[in-house]
Amino acid sequence: QTILCLPRSFEYSQKNAVLVPAAALGLGGMLVYWLRSRHTIKTIEMGDGWWGSGERPLKGKEDESIRPFKIETSDKEIEDLHRRLEQARYAPPLEGAAFHYGFNSSYLRKVVAYWRNQFDWRKQVEVLNKYPHFQTTIEGIDIHFIHVKPSYVPHGRAVQPLLMVHGWPGSFYEFYKIIPLLTEPAGHSLNEGDVVFEVICPSIPGYGFSEAPHQKGFDAIATARIFHKLMNRLGFKEYYLQGGDWGSHITTSMARMLPQSVKGLHLNLIFINKQGLRRMISVMLGAYVPWLVGLTREDVRRMYPFIQKNIYELLRESGYLHIQATKPDTAGCGLNDSPVGLAAYILEKFSTWTDKSFLHKDDGGLESKYSLDELLTNVMIYWVTSSIVSSMRFYKENFSKDPGLTASGRVGVYVPTGIAAFPQELVHTPRAWAKETFKNIITYSYMPRGGHFAAFEEPKLLAQDIMHFVRKVEQL
């Protein structure tokens, strides 16, 4: 019997001799794959697009030339504006309403009177043209941008290319005060010139002097791709990115798309889509034992009472978003026809998004942070280009699907990231929450003052934080 079992046991041992190593090899392979996949940086597809009118041409290469561009105006344009301002109709405000119902019409009369009688658009056009403007055609539409290089570079210092992207209802003009601080830092007592930038500020397609897309579906991913193509066309292989509002969403998409091209990403507003039980527990415990869930005392001060600051206040400030994300053309056609309506719609955001307490002021606190010339210049960029409707459509294109469910929304950001958290920003995102998406946070700064329009309102604070971030990245 023993002799009869020998062939079987020999056969069994032979099978083991084959199966055990095979299983070990398979498990080992799976382990190696898992370990490698943990360190593989996922990206979003760059893809391609066509946003010009009609079908994409089957033959012929796109004109890749960089063309100088100059903003111009005319007597006819100014006369038409003045006529419309003179014929404006106003509804009287409620007594004591301040800015609680939106833009106070009594103050609006004063703004319009200044606009009609004192604001000099020709002079502001000269101000806008003080930096070099260009246009280039990408994916069938003309992209406008300004490109400012430093006039002097200290010996041995590398110039860092920096792409800065605006949001809504802003424009490239938001960066006019911060540009000289970044390109000529030593001349503004910021440092000894160890970090010097050349700054590129494009207009988002459909905003200002960038041509509006002619096709449906133009979103932040398409914008990110176009801006990568722009930087490549300008000869840059690596560059820094900076943005807030839509600029934040676009530059974050750029970092997810081509991380090898992005030396660093600096944001003054971040979007976090992840929710769930973990976030709920963090919110519930944060008010009582913040250290247990990674929150700081400053996070608690900015975020609580949570319902009031993150639901009630956000609902109050986001009515425009629902309109623009669903039926932008309906509201937009009225704004495109009336400069007074356009000014009220845009400038109301520069009031409460700069400081929430400005709701209680009859003038919305606007002139405490900005001059009327600055504010009206931004409005005029929308007016003379008839771009308010196309700028509003950007919301519909980006909110047509849940960003948290898209493949791009689930991709982490692995490039070096700097975050400047301004206290009057619409929402505050603690570092503990930010690092769930941004995996390589180099700097996180609680800014001492300022709101949503950081570069426009607090250019020196933002410039200092950008430099601090870039200096750290360069030392890595």
Side-chain angles (χ1 to χ4, degrees), residues 20-32:
V20 171
L25 190 63
L27 287 170
M30 289 173 67
L31 180 63
V32 169

Short mmCIF file of all heavy atoms in Angstrom, two decimals, residues 20-32:
data_model
loop_
_atom_site.label_atom_id
_atom_site.label_comp_id
_atom_site.label_asym_id
_atom_site.label_seq_id
_atom_site.Cartn_x
_atom_site.Cartn_y
_atom_site.Cartn_z
N VAL A 20 3.17 26.23 -5.99
CA VAL A 20 3.60 27.14 -4.92
C VAL A 20 4.43 28.30 -5.45
O VAL A 20 4.13 29.46 -5.19
CB VAL A 20 4.34 26.36 -3.80
CG1 VAL A 20 4.97 27.35 -2.80
CG2 VAL A 20 3.39 25.43 -3.09
N PRO A 21 5.45 28.02 -6.27
CA PRO A 21 6.19 29.15 -6.83
C PRO A 21 5.34 30.03 -7.73
O PRO A 21 5.48 31.25 -7.75
CB PRO A 21 7.31 28.47 -7.65
CG PRO A 21 7.44 27.12 -7.07
CD PRO A 21 6.07 26.73 -6.63
N ALA A 22 4.42 29.38 -8.49
CA ALA A 22 3.54 30.16 -9.38
C ALA A 22 2.65 31.10 -8.57
O ALA A 22 2.46 32.27 -8.92
CB ALA A 22 2.70 29.22 -10.23
N ALA A 23 2.11 30.55 -7.46
CA ALA A 23 1.25 31.38 -6.60
C ALA A 23 2.05 32.50 -5.97
O ALA A 23 1.61 33.65 -5.88
CB ALA A 23 0.61 30.50 -5.52
N ALA A 24 3.27 32.14 -5.51
CA ALA A 24 4.13 33.15 -4.89
C ALA A 24 4.49 34.24 -5.90
O ALA A 24 4.49 35.44 -5.59
CB ALA A 24 5.40 32.50 -4.36
N LEU A 25 4.78 33.80 -7.13
CA LEU A 25 5.10 34.76 -8.19
C LEU A 25 3.92 35.68 -8.50
O LEU A 25 4.07 36.88 -8.67
CB LEU A 25 5.52 34.00 -9.45
CG LEU A 25 6.12 34.82 -10.60
CD1 LEU A 25 7.42 35.46 -10.15
CD2 LEU A 25 6.35 33.95 -11.83
N GLY A 26 2.72 35.05 -8.51
CA GLY A 26 1.52 35.84 -8.78
C GLY A 26 1.25 36.86 -7.69
O GLY A 26 0.99 38.04 -7.96
N LEU A 27 1.35 36.41 -6.43
CA LEU A 27 1.14 37.32 -5.30
C LEU A 27 2.21 38.42 -5.27
O LEU A 27 1.92 39.58 -4.99
CB LEU A 27 1.15 36.53 -3.99
CG LEU A 27 -0.08 35.66 -3.72
CD1 LEU A 27 0.16 34.74 -2.53
CD2 LEU A 27 -1.31 36.54 -3.48
N GLY A 28 3.45 37.99 -5.56
CA GLY A 28 4.53 38.97 -5.60
C GLY A 28 4.31 40.02 -6.66
O GLY A 28 4.53 41.21 -6.46
N GLY A 29 3.84 39.53 -7.84
CA GLY A 29 3.55 40.47 -8.93
C GLY A 29 2.46 41.45 -8.57
O GLY A 29 2.56 42.65 -8.87
N MET A 30 1.42 40.93 -7.90
CA MET A 30 0.32 41.80 -7.47
C MET A 30 0.81 42.83 -6.46
O MET A 30 0.42 44.00 -6.50
CB MET A 30 -0.80 40.96 -6.86
CG MET A 30 -1.57 40.13 -7.89
SD MET A 30 -2.74 39.00 -7.13
CE MET A 30 -3.91 40.15 -6.42
N LEU A 31 1.70 42.39 -5.54
CA LEU A 31 2.24 43.31 -4.53
C LEU A 31 3.07 44.40 -5.18
O LEU A 31 2.95 45.59 -4.84
CB LEU A 31 3.07 42.52 -3.52
CG LEU A 31 3.71 43.34 -2.38
CD1 LEU A 31 2.60 43.98 -1.53
CD2 LEU A 31 4.61 42.47 -1.52
N VAL A 32 3.92 44.01 -6.14
CA VAL A 32 4.75 44.99 -6.84
C VAL A 32 3.88 45.98 -7.60
O VAL A 32 4.11 47.20 -7.58
CB VAL A 32 5.73 44.28 -7.82
CG1 VAL A 32 6.40 45.28 -8.75
CG2 VAL A 32 6.77 43.48 -7.04
#
